[in-house]
Amino acid sequence: MKDYIFSNDFSRNLDAMIYTCGYETCEPSHSYGPVVRSGYLIHYILEGKGIYKTDGHIWQLSEGDAFLIRPNTLIYYEADKYHPWTYTWIGFQGIKIEEYLKRTSEDVRSIQTSREPGSDDEQHPV
């Protein structure tokens, strides 16, 4: 599958809108950041592995994991040197996004993992 990127015009949708989405198969050690984003983004890892850094933590993530990038927060992520990740993402912004996220869960965490709690490969900050 080819890499894909979509972009939208924020000025037409102030409450909530998808402003970008895409798919990328990363090269080994491909990185992004350190950077501060203006909107929310969710990255979902389809295969491979890499690291995500935010709020003083470094997370080792792999297939089935997801990470949430929050606006105005310094982040960095990097594909593994030997098994780089392929991920898809969706970015959204608007004046009601934070409120909508709070409605989805009592605890909208920055990291979501598909592993069972207590499994040997459960993801923790490094």
Side-chain angles (χ1 to χ4, degrees), residues 115-119 122:
R115 291 165 189 77
E116 292 294 321
S119 67
E122 184 180 359

mmCIF file of all heavy atoms in Angstrom, residues 115-119 122:
data_model
loop_
_atom_site.group_PDB
_atom_site.id
_atom_site.type_symbol
_atom_site.label_atom_id
_atom_site.label_comp_id
_atom_site.label_asym_id
_atom_site.label_seq_id
_atom_site.Cartn_x
_atom_site.Cartn_y
_atom_site.Cartn_z
ATOM 1 N N ARG A 115 -2.249 -5.659 24.681
ATOM 2 C CA ARG A 115 -1.746 -6.767 25.493
ATOM 3 C C ARG A 115 -2.575 -6.945 26.754
ATOM 4 O O ARG A 115 -3.121 -5.988 27.286
ATOM 5 C CB ARG A 115 -0.293 -6.511 25.855
ATOM 6 C CG ARG A 115 0.611 -6.605 24.631
ATOM 7 C CD ARG A 115 1.975 -5.988 24.946
ATOM 8 N NE ARG A 115 2.753 -5.874 23.750
ATOM 9 C CZ ARG A 115 2.563 -4.935 22.824
ATOM 10 N NH1 ARG A 115 1.625 -4.049 22.960
ATOM 11 N NH2 ARG A 115 3.318 -4.894 21.757
ATOM 12 N N GLU A 116 -2.614 -8.159 27.235
ATOM 13 C CA GLU A 116 -3.307 -8.448 28.487
ATOM 14 C C GLU A 116 -2.491 -7.882 29.654
ATOM 15 O O GLU A 116 -1.266 -7.979 29.655
ATOM 16 C CB GLU A 116 -3.449 -9.960 28.678
ATOM 17 C CG GLU A 116 -4.384 -10.608 27.688
ATOM 18 C CD GLU A 116 -5.819 -10.154 27.874
ATOM 19 O OE1 GLU A 116 -6.259 -9.993 29.024
ATOM 20 O OE2 GLU A 116 -6.498 -9.940 26.852
ATOM 21 N N PRO A 117 -3.146 -7.303 30.657
ATOM 22 C CA PRO A 117 -2.411 -6.812 31.824
ATOM 23 C C PRO A 117 -1.596 -7.942 32.451
ATOM 24 O O PRO A 117 -2.075 -9.065 32.578
ATOM 25 C CB PRO A 117 -3.508 -6.345 32.776
ATOM 26 C CG PRO A 117 -4.680 -6.075 31.896
ATOM 27 C CD PRO A 117 -4.572 -7.063 30.754
ATOM 28 N N GLY A 118 -0.342 -7.641 32.779
ATOM 29 C CA GLY A 118 0.531 -8.623 33.411
ATOM 30 C C GLY A 118 1.261 -9.530 32.438
ATOM 31 O O GLY A 118 2.048 -10.364 32.850
ATOM 32 N N SER A 119 1.009 -9.377 31.114
ATOM 33 C CA SER A 119 1.716 -10.226 30.155
ATOM 34 C C SER A 119 3.181 -9.838 30.108
ATOM 35 O O SER A 119 3.564 -8.736 30.467
ATOM 36 C CB SER A 119 1.091 -10.112 28.766
ATOM 37 O OG SER A 119 1.306 -8.818 28.239
ATOM 38 N N GLU A 122 3.892 -6.641 28.167
ATOM 39 C CA GLU A 122 3.085 -5.448 28.455
ATOM 40 C C GLU A 122 3.987 -4.218 28.363
ATOM 41 O O GLU A 122 5.117 -4.222 28.823
ATOM 42 C CB GLU A 122 2.486 -5.550 29.849
ATOM 43 C CG GLU A 122 1.557 -4.393 30.184
ATOM 44 C CD GLU A 122 0.964 -4.507 31.567
ATOM 45 O OE1 GLU A 122 1.254 -5.479 32.274
ATOM 46 O OE2 GLU A 122 0.209 -3.620 31.932
#
